[in-house]
Amino acid sequence: MVAGAGRSGHLVGERRSPAQVLFLGKYSPLAYMIAAWELATAAGLIPELLLPRFSDVMAAWARMMLSGELPEHALSSIWREAAGFSSSVVFGITVGIAMARFRVLRDLFEPLLRLLFPLPKSALIPILIVWLGIGHLSKIAVIFLGCILPVIVSSFNGARGVDRHLVWSALIMGTGKRKLLWRVIIPGALPDILSGTRLALAVSFVLLVGSEMLAGNTGLGFLTYFLSEAGDLAGMFAAIFTLTLLGFLADRLYLRFMRRILIWQREDQE
Amino acid sequence: MTRARRYGSVLFFLLAWEAASQLKLVPEFFLPSWVSIGQQAWVDTASGQLPMDIALSMFRALTGLSMAVLVGVPLGAAMGRVKAVRWFLDPLVSIWLPAPKVTFFPLFVIWFGFGSASKIALIFVACTFPLINMTYLGTVGIDRYLIWSARNMGTGERKILWKVVLPAALPQIFNGLQIAFPVSLIVTSVTEMLGGGGGVGASMMESARFALMPRVFVYLIVLAVVGAFSMSLMAQLRRLLLQWHEEAQAGR
Amino acid sequence: MSESRVKIRAAGVSKTYISPGGESVLAIDGVDLEVRENEFLSIVGPSGCGKSTFLYLVAGVLEVTGGELVKDGAAIRGPGPDRGLVFQHFALFPWRTVMGNVCYGLEEQGLPRPERTGRARELIQRVGLKGFENVYPNQLSGGMKQRVALARTLAYDPEVLLMDEPFGALDAQTRLLMQEELLELWSERKKTVIFITHDVREAVYLSDRVAVMTARPGRIKRIVETRAPGSSAGREHVETQEFVEKVNEIWSLVRDEVVIS
Ligand SMILES: Nc1ncnc2c1ncn2[C@@H]1O[C@H](COP(=O)(O)OP(=O)(O)O)[C@@H](O)[C@H]1O
Ligand SMILES: [Mg+2]
């Protein structure tokens, strides 16, 4: 799903010498980019006012890690992200599946969902700041509300899309109406739920950073903004890198989790 | 019965809102009444502010998005067809694709200033990655036999790109566009909230700062309508452009 | 045969679908049919005439909207493990391994684990899939999937086996193999089988009787005896003059309906 995941490993051929691994390995282009950056700034091709040297960024990163500044803001961001995202997942899956199962709920919620789904979720930020203040709560609420719609929609679609022949097979073999949910509907909806949730994960980070930049005085988004206004470009880059890394790690972890759960979809296992 | 419930639920939602607001169950400041929202919408439309903001935001979003299409699609196609390009871009894309690009806004402000340029640049960056990724997935998965048969019929390599590769990847490119469009709206509104300089996001944030809730809601509704409109536009465009594809799929 | 019991009786059975848009589709209209105990009965007819619909009614996953549908003298109400259903597209649970699929019905019956794995293993071996117990369905070929589906259904030992074009998605060779295996299984453990197919040769080869349905709304147009009472099933008789005549007779009945529809 991420570009080339699992494919690019075979680009250079099956047997690779250490030199090939070093110069042509999967992540070596990143190293080239960084080297070009460092050289261009060191040689003065790009003014340091616009782009700090990579080595300075690393130094700032180390300094801010040791001083505890970076970990503190990172923890604040992680907490908001985790609270908002996980509650939206739990709640969204429940509502989505309940809607698929119960006609009444579907009739009640579907028009509202249709109305709200296309809203760019960032539009919620100003309102929630006014309502809930500039602390943790408003950010968690932004993430929760921004993510819950895609999760509901994908769970609903997933549960509705379960092959009716599977449901029939289960009913024939003696599965009761209530157990059907756990035995067939949820496993059948899982691929949809998981891919919808992955989209929500990406959205959640945007909302986290946006709302942190707009209000409050903690979190990596705030730190980035604060350091840019203070003119500390190297520090700002360190904060940006940390956020990018968190986003990347979250996505990778999620992908692994998804692959593990959906092991039955893989065509090449064993 | 179903229909009654459907429209009833929306109606009930709106009425409950109005009642709570009119009866002062909830402070006007939290939930402005629909009457005051409507009045505000009228005032802002008459003054020309609302249409101006919408036009400015759409200009930014669409400029950034078009640039992203112009850059992202060729890059994605190159990634799908040329090994060296794939080798180079793959790690970059896989790291930046899930990254929250909004983080870069302060940097872009330093580079491009507070006007539209920094916003458009960020929209461009944020929309490019999904487009690269989807185009890549579309071009890399093309049926080899399709290309072989084109080659056998004497189609040149360059023509193959235009006549076989891109059309075959079109559905995926469209998927990329359908991801990128909402992204462009999100990034537009967030950068406007952050950087000011007019537009729907800026006016919304400014109104929120002064606790002008009816106005915040006017802009919220505008954004919802713009979002809904662009989504259905994309869906229709897709149906129009990809007719052959859907049919081919159904026949398989 | 006349002394054998009637297992399933349909009298004037009809089914009207209400599509989500609100319009109603009369799929079958007045189906009269008696299926005898341990009989192998095939239903053929033009596509869209309501064959699947009838089968799903017997399975109890759909409800009749008219007429009477009875098994062992009692009206059919809802699905149950006494009537196993096998689909054209297998309907295996993709998130369960071969073993998990075959065990499903036994789990629902509350059989303890050692017994159900034992029984499942036996059946998996019986359908020729030994060694594939821990493989997920998406890694199996169509023929293998249908073997798993068959094993899954045989595992809970239904009295009636309902099969909806079970070999329709398989290639010609696999199809022939599966036909023979099915006949073998059927002669090992006597069951009442209702088998739907659009392949007249397949129907004649497998069945005691073949019912031909009319174009939609489907009714039973004619029932043809295809196997002399007491004679054994087998590949030998496909060459015979009698077999070819039966195929031609049924085919011309079906063709008339296809032309109409
Ligand atoms: N769920 C449904 N809603 C509306 N019409 C249906 C539904 N299922 C089947 N039909 C219609 O009923 C008729 C009979 O369908 P089916 O039993 O599947 O036919 P067959 O199996 O003989 O091909 C067809 O015309 C089909 O379009
Ligand atoms: Mg059918």
Side-chain angles (χ1 to χ4, degrees), chain A residues 163-176 179 183-184 187-188 263-270, chain C residues 56 59 61-62 79-81 83-85 87 91-96 104-105 107-108 134-136 138-139 152 156:
Chain A
D163 185 355
R164 63 181 183 150
H165 296 110
L166 295 185
V167 174
W168 287 350
S169 298
L171 287 176
I172 287 169
M173 290 190 273
T175 308
K179 268 173 91 190
R183 303 272 278 173
V184 182
I263 192 156
W264 44 271
Q265 281 196 328
R266 286 182 52 186
E267 275 158 34
D268 55 346
Q269 38 112 25
E270 286 179 63
Chain C
Y56 299 160
V61 293
L62 297 179
R83 284 150 291 143
L85 185 51
F87 299 96
L92 297 175
F93 301 119
W95 54 88
R96 284 177 162 247
Y104 190 97
E107 282 170 27
E108 296 298 11
N134 298 317
V135 168
Y136 288 98
N138 77 335
Q139 291 178 281
R152 179 175 75 175
Y156 54 89

Side-chain angles (χ1 to χ4, degrees), chain A residues 80-99:
Chain A
R80 290 161 177 173
E81 168 68 26
F85 180 69
S86 57
S87 54
S88 77
V89 168
V90 172
F91 215 72
I93 293 178
T94 314
V95 172
I97 288 179
M99 274 176 64

